[in-house]
Structures are given as structure tokens and as C-alpha cells.
Amino acid sequence: MATRQMRKLQKQQELLRLQNEADRKDDESEDEPIVTKPRPNAFAGFAALGGGDDDDDDDDHDTEEETKEVEDVPEPVAPAKKSKKSKKKKKKGKSPAAEKEEEDDLDEIDRVLGELNLKDNKNSVSDTATSDAAKSTGQINELLRVNFQHLKAINEMRKLFGSAIEAARVEQAAEANSRQQQRGAARQNVDLETFLSVPPAVQQRLGKRSMFETVLRTNPFIEGKKTWPRDSTRGLKMVRVTESCEGEPGVAEFAFAHDKTYDALEGNFYGLVQMYDPMQLVYFLSRYPYHVSSLIQVSKVAHQDQNSYLAHDLIERALFAFGRVSLSDFRKRLGDGTARLDFNRPENRQFFLAGYNQIKNLVLKGTYRTALEWAKFVLSVNHDDPYGVLNWIHVLAIRAYEAKWFIELCNSPLIANMGIGRYVKATLPLAKLQLKDNAGARAAAIESIERLPWLFCALFSALNLDTPRSVWGVQPRDDEEALHTKLYVHLAKDIWNNPAATSLLTEAANAARKVDFFGLPPSPVVSLATARFVYLDNTPELMSAVPRKILHTASPNFDFDPLPPPKEDNIFSSTTQRMPWSISEGDGEHRQTRLHEQAQAALQMARARMNEDQLRAVVDDARARIDDPEADEEQRGVWRRIVDVLTGQGWTGGAGGVAEGGEGDQRGNVMPGGWEDDFDEGWGDDDFDGEDHWYEDQLDPELELEFGPGGTPNRRATVEDAEDSDDEETARR
């Protein structure tokens, strides 16, 4: 039955095709029979070369072949109208049962055709949606392709300053080497920057032909420096996770990974962070110079110490480590915009954080084109923008004169799908103005003013311009709009502060109509990405505008992993990566025991290196700093912690708590000096079985942190010479 139906279906389709062909012909041609001319004999032309009887025989033979060919020609196909007539005549001769069966077959065929058409329509809709998604992803990937030449700031500086930059680099290196040689010869104390770099004598001994010199030159992300230590990454690597990502055809996911050696370093690092001794982190970094978490943490210490050069150098070293282990396929896909990194993996978050700090340092350096390329890099590997670099991109695009690229980005689905897309598009008039499109810039400015009147009211005020009537007195409708407005003005005010831009702004505001801003779309909710951006920017006015539930109650929250995703969203590859959450979720009694052990270890070291008079002098000085009216609460907390550690007050109770009536009794289970968030439930004893106070082996007796006024570390940290006599050491103290 099915075979017969298929044959009839094919026959019906053939008849339909013939009918369509026949309808295109004239009516006259339909009635005329089709005459097929016989093909001429291809060998007839050779007849003139022969003669006599042969020619006659050949002619007769050819005539017979031609006659046979004519007979073999199939009958011409009749027009569709005639076939219909003949079909009707045939039907008249059929019985009623046959006609009914044929009608049933035709109904079955129609049903099958209907099902096929329905399936084709569904497939076409699905194919259209897939095609649109692929087209959208392809457009975004094309815009976020990474050019590795633009990732290195030295290339932009060469373009800006020419050969002068090379001369300056040589002079700076010679000065640094001379300073290091003098300090080495005199066996003097060295600063933190010198301590973490390679001595000139070692650089000369290695020479230019060492294997590490090749590694320095060929890194895809950062151009290495000769002052960086020669060492391996100690187990940092990259792996491919998937061949393709869901919903993104042609995209592959990668991930940085840690082996057992690197994972053990991570565990040691977490313990050192809890000791709150920066110099122990410095010593740890000197032993493992490419441990990324230590590089990021010590960079934060250098930044607080106002050593911007060292802070930037350490971040570049971290990115250099990532570049050393990157896969060739990952680098290739970066050039196509088809590589992805999952932010929920703790190993990847270190890269995102280092990338964010690199952008921030490049902005301070004035290399905006390089900063823009790094922003594209961070956004390319994760379109969710976990660190909010879109807040920088619109400013960097204008400063780097990438207006055409920025206009294409504003028209892409990436900006349309982002909550802060409206605020990013507010800079679109400047991009069109940069391309000399004055009419387009004016139209875009009017549209932006009518869409975000409160933003431009704040911008006029920040630029000290008279506020036009269209935006006068318009204030943000809620806290979310207030934060986004402050953030935009904080970042973009300077690019509007020029005669051409202010003239355009004033003209467009006077031409714009005053809208009912309560009827405008609601403001985007402050995302965790925006909160991370504000937290790392560390501007007090902006931080006070972030919702408290996001910023002030985040736990855990460390400088090496600020505001991480919720624990259940993380993709952990080892138990060590859960330790930051264990610190904030562990048992309070176990936490107190752990802190008691750390304090006792520090107390023993301090008393071993001081006599009673020295100890009493240090404690008296610390108490004087606590009573200093100019010191803030954080500084007082640091000095209270030092007094408690050196005198043993508040910790004699061990896990059972502080001594009743002691100084620490008023603060309960909080460690002296505060840090409630960081010590809200610590590690349990089970996490440290068999370690026998491992951190004591990490403490370097030759390292000492000097404190300046107010409890902050001095800019020059010291490294004591182990061969000094007791008298020299006492005199120096």
C-alpha cells in the first residue's frame, strides 16, 4: 500500500510540474504537436571524398540509420490540458469501487503532503532561529577579535615616542643595575622592588642566549623583562574543556588548571593571607616568583605603599605566566573571537582579575589603545562581562580614536542585551563627532538626552555648564540609576570636557524636548559585575552607592578573588579551592583555636628577638598610636592587634575565648583589630591535621616589616643581613 501511494505521489508531482510548464506557454503552442527533427548524420560530410557504389551504399546505410533514429524518437509529451481530458475519459470506464479506492489514496497522499509541509515549516523556523543566533554570535566575535600586537604597551609607546622610548628604557635599566650593584657591594638594605628582581650579576651571567630569553620575547600577552626571575610556573597549565559551547557554534571553551604542586602552593598561600603579614607574602613570592595569587596580592600591597611601578610590574608578570602556559589553539581562537573562559572556575578568575588590573594600570599610564585591546580581550573570552569592563570600553574607544569600531559595537546585539547598554550608548555622539558626522552626532545626542535626562543633568553639573531646560532638575529615579549616573560621570567626564563636545552637548540639549522621565524604561539592576568594578575602582563616593546586600555582606571577599560567585555556582577542581569559603563558613571555636596558634607563634618570634625593655617600648609606642586622635578606626585596630599579640592579652583563653575582663573581651570572638568579614568562622582543626604548624617553617627571620606613622608600612621594606653582629642589629633597631 505504501509503495503504491508513493508511486502515485511521484506521478502527481510530475504532472504538477508539467502543468506549470504548460501554463507558461502560449495557447497556440499547446494545441500544436511537438515535431522532433531527426539529427543529421555526422559523417555525411565525408561522402564527397568517396566514389561510386560506395557512396550509394553509404547513402542507403545512412538513410536507414536516419529512419531508424526517427522511429526511435519517443512520442512528444502532450500538453497538460489534453492529459486531463484523457484522464477523464479513462475515469469514465472505471468502476465505483475503483474510483472510491483511488479517492482514498488521494486523501492519504494529501494527508502525507500536509504532514511533510508542517514538518518543513517547523524545521525552517528552527533553522531560521539557529541562523540568526549564529549570525549574532559571529558579529560579536568579529568585533572582539584580539590583535596580539596591540596587547603590548611597548608597541604603542614606540608609535607615540619613536626611538626615544628605546633610549629611555636603556637609561632606566642602566640606572637600576647601577643602584642594585651599589647596594649589593655595600651590603645595604634593599627595597621591595630590588628584592623581587634578578640581580645584575645574574643577568650578565645568563646572557642573551639563554632559553629564558626566548621565552621573554615570544610571550603572546606580555613582553618579558630581564629583571624577572628565571623559574617555571610550578604546575600552572591550560586545558581545553569543550569543543563547542551551547548556543555558540564554532566556539570552544578553555580553562586554566592547577596540578598537585600548584594546588599545594595555593593552600600555603591561603594560610599566609590569614597571618596578615605582607612580608611573609613577599618572601613566599620570592621563592615562587610566578605564583599568580601571590603576584596579585603583593601588587595590592605595593599599590597601597604608593609604588605604582612595582604594582604594575607584578600584574604584568602574572599575565606573563598565563601567556607561557596558553595553548596554541587558544591563541588562534582569540584572533577569531571564538575562545571562551568560564568565570565560575576559580583558576580562570585569577586571569580576569589580572586583566582588569592591567587595564587599570594602562589607563593610568596613558596607553589607551593597549588598554582598549585588553578590554576587548577580557570581554571576548566571556561575553557576560564579569568585571564590568564595558564601563571602560566606551571611554577607551574615544581616547584611542576607535570611533568606527565603537559605533559598530553599539549596533551589535552585545550592547542591546546588556543592562548598562543605554549608558554605554550615551558616548555615541562623541564617536560620530570624531568621524566628522556632525548631523549624526547631534541626532544621537538628542536621542541620548531624551532617553537618559538625569545622566546629562549630572554631566552638565560636572562640567560646570548651565543646565538647559530639557534636563534641568531631573534626578535619578532610584538608587540603581544614581549609581550608574555617578559611575558614568566619574569615568567619562573628561572626554566630554572639550569645546567641540560641550558645544554639541549644549546645542542638542536645547533642541531636545522635555520628556516625562517617569514613563521611560526602568533602570537596570546593579549587577555583581558592576559591584566588582566599583569595588576594585575603590572610589568612596561610588562604593557608598552600591547596594549593601551586594558589597558589604559579601563573604568570602579577598583581594585575590573579590566578590566571587555564590559557592554553589563555582566549579571547583580541588578541595583547596574551597578554603576561602571554609574560612567564612567554618566553626567559630575552631577558628579561635587557629587564630590563637598564629598569635602565639608571632609572639614567640617577637620575644625571641627582643628583650623586655624593647618589648615594652614597642607596646608603649603602639598604645600611643591607638590614642592618636588623627588615626582612623582601621589603623587603631591594627595597633590593638599588635598590642594584644605582644602582651598576650585577649588570647590566653585559647579556643575557649579571651580572658574575662581583658582587652579582647569587649570584641567577643572577633580578632583584635577587626576583620569581622574575613574571620567569620574559620578553618576547623581537621583541615590541618598532621601539619605541625607548617607556617612556622615559612617565616623568614631575616625579613622584617617597618611601620610608619599611623600603622602603615613604609615604602622601603628592609631585608636584614644575617651576618650582622648582635650590636649592629641592636643599634639598627
Side-chain angles (χ1 to χ4, degrees):
M1 183 67 180
T3 305
R4 183 178 62 182
Q5 290 176 358
M6 292 303 298
R7 286 201 302 268
K8 289 185 178 182
L9 179 61
Q10 293 175 357
K11 184 177 180 181
Q12 184 178 0
Q13 291 177 347
E14 181 68 19
L15 291 176
L16 183 62
R17 184 181 63 80
L18 294 175
Q19 182 179 358
N20 293 334
E21 292 179 357
D23 290 341
R24 288 195 296 267
K25 297 180 181 179
D26 296 332
D27 294 335
E28 295 179 357
S29 63
E30 291 178 356
D31 298 331
E32 293 179 358
I34 299 176
V35 180
T36 304
K37 294 182 179 181
R39 290 185 301 172
N41 188 5
F43 299 93
F46 291 96
L49 298 177
D53 298 336
D54 295 336
D55 294 341
D56 295 339
D57 295 339
D58 292 338
D59 292 340
D60 295 341
H61 183 68
D62 293 340
T63 303
E64 292 177 359
E65 288 183 352
E66 291 174 4
T67 304
K68 187 176 181 180
E69 288 179 0
V70 173
E71 292 176 353
D72 293 341
V73 172
E75 293 182 357
V77 179
K81 292 182 180 179
K82 292 183 180 180
S83 64
K84 288 182 179 179
K85 291 180 181 179
S86 61
K87 188 175 182 181
K88 290 180 180 179
K89 291 179 181 179
K90 290 180 181 180
K91 275 190 175 183
K92 290 181 181 179
K94 291 183 179 180
S95 62
E99 291 180 1
K100 184 177 181 181
E101 183 180 356
E102 185 172 350
E103 290 177 359
D104 293 340
D105 293 341
L106 291 176
D107 292 340
E108 183 70 16
I109 291 172
D110 292 338
R111 185 182 65 80
V112 173
L113 287 174
E115 292 179 356
L116 292 175
N117 290 335
L118 183 61
K119 185 180 293 186
D120 291 341
N121 290 335
K122 290 182 179 179
N123 292 337
S124 63
V125 172
S126 177
D127 293 342
T128 302
T130 303
S131 176
D132 293 342
K135 184 178 179 181
S136 174
T137 303
Q139 181 183 359
I140 298 173
N141 293 341
E142 184 69 22
L143 288 170
L144 299 180
R145 296 173 60 183
V146 177
N147 187 335
F148 291 99
Q149 293 298 320
H150 291 309
L151 289 179
K152 300 179 180 180
I154 188 62
N155 294 333
E156 182 177 2
M157 296 179 71
R158 287 178 182 139
K159 185 178 180 180
L160 292 174
F161 304 107
S163 58
I165 188 62
E166 297 296 339
R169 293 181 70 191
V170 173
E171 182 179 355
Q172 182 181 7
E175 181 180 353
N177 291 343
S178 176
R179 185 170 61 251
Q180 289 184 4
Q181 288 176 353
Q182 291 176 1
R183 286 173 176 168
R187 303 187 65 82
Q188 293 180 351
N189 298 332
V190 297
D191 60 0
L192 193 59
E193 181 181 332
T194 304
F195 179 65
L196 293 175
S197 61
V198 177
V202 178
Q203 297 180 32
Q204 295 176 0
R205 186 170 67 252
L206 291 174
K208 296 183 178 180
R209 297 184 179 181
S210 64
M211 180 63 69
F212 199 79
E213 288 292 330
T214 305
V215 175
L216 292 175
R217 293 194 307 269
T218 58
N219 192 280
F221 300 161
I222 296 292
E223 183 175 354
K225 300 178 181 178
K226 296 180 180 180
T227 57
W228 290 350
R230 273 63 172 163
D231 198 5
S232 67
T233 56
R234 302 296 181 111
L236 180 66
K237 59 184 179 180
M238 173 175 267
V239 296
R240 181 199 294 270
V241 179
T242 59
E243 292 291 339
S244 61
C245 295
E246 184 178 356
E248 294 181 302
V251 173
E253 181 185 347
F254 298 84
F256 293 100
H258 303 161
D259 66 6
K260 292 182 179 180
T261 302
Y262 199 95
D263 195 55
L265 294 180
E266 286 284 285
N268 293 346
F269 168 77
Y270 292 148
L272 291 174
V273 168
Q274 294 306 301
M275 297 183 67
Y276 290 92
D277 188 349
M279 288 310 299
Q280 297 307 318
L281 288 173
V282 171
Y283 176 68
F284 184 78
L285 181 60
S286 68
R287 294 182 59 186
Y288 309 106
Y290 292 99
H291 182 251
V292 176
S293 297
S294 299
L295 288 166
I296 295 174
Q297 190 74 21
V298 177
S299 172
K300 185 75 172 178
V301 174
H303 180 73
Q304 294 175 348
D305 204 24
Q306 300 181 356
N307 192 341
S308 300
Y309 176 81
L310 178 60
H312 190 189
D313 184 79
L314 295 176
I315 291 297
E316 285 188 329
R317 196 193 297 185
L319 292 170
F320 177 80
F322 284 122
R324 291 176 66 180
V325 302
S326 61
L327 299 176
S328 59
D329 188 36
F330 176 73
R331 298 192 294 269
K332 179 181 177 181
R333 287 182 175 274
L334 283 177
D336 300 332
T338 58
R340 297 290 184 271
L341 293 173
D342 193 343
F343 187 74
N344 289 330
R345 296 181 181 273
E347 305 94 327
N348 292 344
R349 288 204 292 273
Q350 296 176 351
F351 173 79
F352 284 102
L353 180 57
Y356 174 94
N357 285 290
Q358 174 73 350
I359 299 169
K360 189 174 181 180
N361 293 329
L362 291 171
V363 170
L364 295 175
K365 203 173 183 178
T367 50
Y368 301 115
R369 183 63 186 87
T370 308
L372 176 62
E373 199 67 22
W374 273 102
K376 290 167 60 178
F377 188 176
V378 174
L379 189 59
S380 173
V381 295
N382 194 312
H383 292 176
D384 294 334
D385 192 18
Y387 272 104
V389 296
L390 271 177
N391 293 293
W392 259 329
I393 278 184
H394 62 103
V395 178
L396 295 175
I398 301 302
R399 290 191 178 277
Y401 296 93
E402 291 290 326
K404 183 178 180 181
W405 174 85
F406 178 65
I407 293 174
E408 294 177 357
L409 180 68
C410 289
N411 296 329
S412 69
L414 179 66
I415 299 298
N417 298 332
M418 285 288 183
I420 62 173
R422 288 183 292 168
Y423 292 88
V424 174
K425 286 185 177 180
T427 312
L428 193 59
L430 293 179
K432 294 187 176 182
L433 186 65
Q434 204 172 80
L435 296 177
K436 309 299 182 183
D437 183 8
N438 296 329
R442 185 176 183 273
I446 294 175
E447 181 182 357
S448 297
I449 290 173
E450 294 178 350
R451 186 169 57 233
L452 299 169
W454 53 85
L455 172 65
F456 286 90
C457 178
L459 187 59
F460 271 100
S461 177
L463 296 174
N464 294 322
L465 299 176
D466 293 334
T467 306
R469 182 179 180 183
S470 59
V471 296
W472 186 85
V474 181
Q475 298 297 321
R477 297 172 293 183
D478 50 38
D479 294 339
E480 283 79 6
E481 285 181 353
L483 173 59
H484 288 111
T485 299
K486 291 179 181 179
L487 182 58
Y488 181 90
V489 173
H490 171 70
L491 296 173
K493 178 183 67 174
D494 291 338
I495 61 176
W496 285 95
N497 195 12
N498 59 80
T502 54
S503 176
L504 170 67
L505 192 62
T506 304
E507 180 184 354
N510 290 327
R513 58 187 177 87
K514 191 174 183 64
V515 298
D516 181 14
F517 58 91
F518 285 104
L520 295 174
S523 59
V525 178
V526 177
S527 63
L528 195 57
T530 302
R532 290 190 193 101
F533 184 92
V534 173
Y535 176 79
L536 293 173
D537 187 73
N538 199 26
T539 301
E541 183 182 3
L542 296 177
M543 293 184 69
S544 63
V546 177
R548 181 177 179 83
K549 63 181 180 180
I550 296 179
L551 188 60
H552 300 287
T553 61
S555 181
N557 186 21
F558 296 97
D559 288 335
F560 58 85
D561 191 10
L563 301 177
K567 183 179 180 180
E568 57 273 11
D569 294 341
N570 281 264
I571 304 175
F572 297 115
S573 58
S574 68
T575 56
T576 304
Q577 294 175 350
R578 301 176 183 270
M579 291 178 68
W581 279 266
S582 300
I583 296 171
S584 59
E585 297 176 359
D587 182 77
E589 183 178 351
H590 291 167
R591 175 207 61 204
Q592 194 73 8
T593 301
R594 180 61 175 166
L595 297 180
H596 172 69
E597 292 176 354
Q598 294 179 351
Q600 290 298 326
L603 180 61
Q604 291 173 4
M605 286 190 304
R607 286 180 172 173
R609 301 179 64 179
M610 297 182 187
N611 55 37
E612 292 297 329
D613 294 336
Q614 292 173 337
L615 183 60
R616 188 179 298 106
V618 172
V619 171
D620 292 342
D621 182 64
R623 285 173 174 166
R625 295 179 186 275
I626 294 173
D627 298 334
D628 186 359
E630 297 182 359
D632 56 28
E633 283 301 322
E634 183 176 356
Q635 293 172 344
R636 290 193 182 98
V638 172
W639 286 106
R640 287 194 189 101
R641 175 173 178 252
I642 293 174
V643 170
D644 289 343
V645 169
L646 293 179
T647 61
Q649 295 180 7
W651 298 97
T652 57
V658 298
E660 184 177 357
E663 185 176 351
D665 185 55
Q666 297 177 357
R667 292 186 292 276
N669 288 332
V670 179
M671 186 173 185
W675 298 292
E676 293 91 342
D677 291 341
D678 294 340
F679 284 92
D680 180 27
E681 319 239 337
W683 289 318
D685 291 336
D686 296 338
D687 297 328
F688 299 91
D689 286 343
E691 294 194 8
D692 193 21
H693 308 311
W694 58 268
Y695 53 85
E696 294 182 7
D697 297 334
Q698 301 290 343
L699 302 177
D700 184 8
E702 300 179 10
L703 293 179
E704 182 177 280
L705 182 64
E706 292 184 352
F707 286 91
T712 58
N714 283 333
R715 189 170 186 272
R716 301 292 183 184
T718 61
V719 179
E720 299 292 338
D721 191 342
E723 298 182 2
D724 285 348
S725 63
D726 294 339
D727 295 338
E728 292 174 340
E729 183 178 356
T730 303
R732 181 165 54 253
R733 290 183 181 281

